[in-house]
Amino acid sequence: MLFQHRKEKILKRLAQKGTISIQELEESIGVSESTLRRDLVALEKEGLLKRVHGGATTINHLNKEQKMAQKETINQPAKNKIAKYVCSLIKKDSQIYIDAGTTTLELVRLLPTDKNLKLVTNGVDHALLALTRGIEVTLLGGAVKRNTHAIADMTAYKQLSKINFSASFMGMNGLHENQGLTTTNIDEATLKECAMNQSQNVYLLMDDTKIGQVYEFKVDLPAGAKIFINQEATTKHPQKIKNLKIKYDLEMIE
């Protein structure tokens, strides 16, 4: 078995369990202990795991969320590009959900005002911007996060679970080839999954800075969800994008 195949199997097992022993890897992969030890050394050098006595564990350096004002200045042209493309997917007389986040805020800034849209959001900044643009908006209730101005708690969840959408437009903190989609707060993860499950169409807006990032809480995508990423990601992260395309429906925006 080639190293690349063993690498995929090791990282998959690690993603599932968090910590894995050499003995477990021997049984599941079917190669010798000496080969596995060399593999773990190589993967540790790549920064993909941390070796411990008798096995390996995931690296415990999860990212921390920045403030809204900080995030708005990062990769803004790419966010604008993605938002502009996604606007073409919005149909007239639709009820849509727009998640909190800076790329989705750019989408609110570009929303057509002549399509009789009904917008539901958990983003305070998103709701205020929609109102100034004359768009009908419902802001979910609940506690507001200081850093991101997002609302995500049980009050918002109960309200959201009663609403259906033609489409939801979601933000996400990280997209990793092994850890998948992640965010910073368990309530936000639950709210995101609720919104997507209530939607006929699910679109994720992510710029290339999110590729390879991992945060504390995982988010599961429903079948048929589509992820939009700016084309520069294929140049900056060619192998990661190749691996991600195996698992997700990615569309690169030029």
Side-chain angles (χ1 to χ4, degrees):
M1 185 187 297
L2 296 174
F3 169 68
Q4 187 61 36
H5 294 153
R6 298 196 305 274
K7 173 181 175 179
E8 291 173 5
K9 288 179 179 291
I10 291 168
L11 294 177
K12 182 177 180 180
R13 295 282 293 178
L14 203 55
Q16 292 170 342
K17 300 192 67 176
T19 300
I20 192 81
S21 69
I22 290 283
Q23 184 179 353
E24 288 176 275
L25 291 173
E26 280 187 88
E27 292 171 358
S28 62
I29 300 177
V31 295
S32 69
E33 178 181 340
S34 59
T35 297
L36 287 168
R37 288 190 183 280
R38 287 195 299 270
D39 289 348
L40 295 183
V41 169
L43 294 175
E44 185 175 48
K45 287 180 179 177
E46 288 185 48
L48 297 174
L49 54 77
K50 178 183 171 117
R51 286 186 299 145
V52 295
H53 180 68
T57 187
T58 52
I59 298 174
N60 189 27
H61 56 62
L62 300 174
N63 294 336
K64 298 300 178 185
E65 189 162 38
Q66 296 173 300
K67 292 182 179 179
M68 189 72 170
Q70 293 172 310
K71 294 198 292 183
E72 275 194 86
T73 62
I74 298 172
N75 218 12
Q76 203 278 335
K79 294 173 182 178
N80 178 269
K81 187 187 302 182
I82 296 165
K84 189 176 294 185
Y85 178 85
V86 169
C87 270
S88 66
L89 304 176
I90 299 174
K91 294 180 172 58
K92 190 176 180 181
D93 301 320
S94 294
Q95 179 159 263
I96 62 174
Y97 181 81
I98 296 185
D99 191 22
T102 53
T103 309
T104 52
L105 183 62
E106 194 66 24
L107 176 61
V108 176
R109 193 168 282 120
L110 298 173
L111 281 178
T113 57
D114 59 351
K115 288 191 174 183
N116 190 35
L117 300 178
K118 294 180 180 179
L119 167 63
V120 178
T121 183
N122 69 320
V124 174
D125 296 332
H126 300 57
L128 290 172
L129 179 58
L131 282 173
T132 63
R133 301 196 63 236
I135 297 169
E136 183 178 338
V137 60
T138 296
L139 176 64
L140 298 179
V144 181
K145 290 178 66 180
R146 188 181 299 274
N147 277 359
T148 62
H149 308 162
I151 296 170
D153 62 12
M154 187 53 66
T155 302
Y157 178 84
K158 287 180 178 178
Q159 187 179 0
L160 185 60
S161 66
K162 302 294 185 183
I163 310 173
N164 291 320
F165 303 101
S166 300
S168 59
F169 300 88
M170 310 301 298
M172 202 66 63
N173 295 85
L175 176 57
H176 190 276
E177 53 195 311
N178 297 311
Q179 299 295 336
L181 290 153
T182 54
T183 191
T184 60
N185 180 282
I186 186 64
D187 291 329
E188 283 207 61
T190 303
L191 200 71
K192 288 175 189 290
E193 290 178 353
C194 178
M196 293 189 288
N197 289 331
Q198 301 287 114
S199 303
Q200 294 177 355
N201 299 285
V202 176
Y203 306 115
L204 274 75
L205 288 62
M206 303 184 73
D207 71 276
D208 60 83
T209 63
K210 308 295 180 66
I211 305 301
Q213 303 301 309
V214 180
Y215 292 80
E216 293 99 321
F217 301 98
K218 291 190 175 185
V219 179
D220 294 326
L221 284 190
K226 196 174 191 69
I227 303 175
F228 296 98
I229 304 176
N230 55 303
Q231 183 66 39
E232 289 83 355
T234 57
T235 302
K236 296 178 182 178
H237 310 284
Q239 189 58 49
K240 289 178 181 177
I241 292 297
K242 183 179 178 180
N243 294 339
L244 286 166
K245 282 185 174 181
I246 297 172
K247 299 179 181 180
Y248 301 103
D249 184 2
L250 266 58
E251 182 165 342
M252 315 309 296
I253 308 302
E254 297 183 2

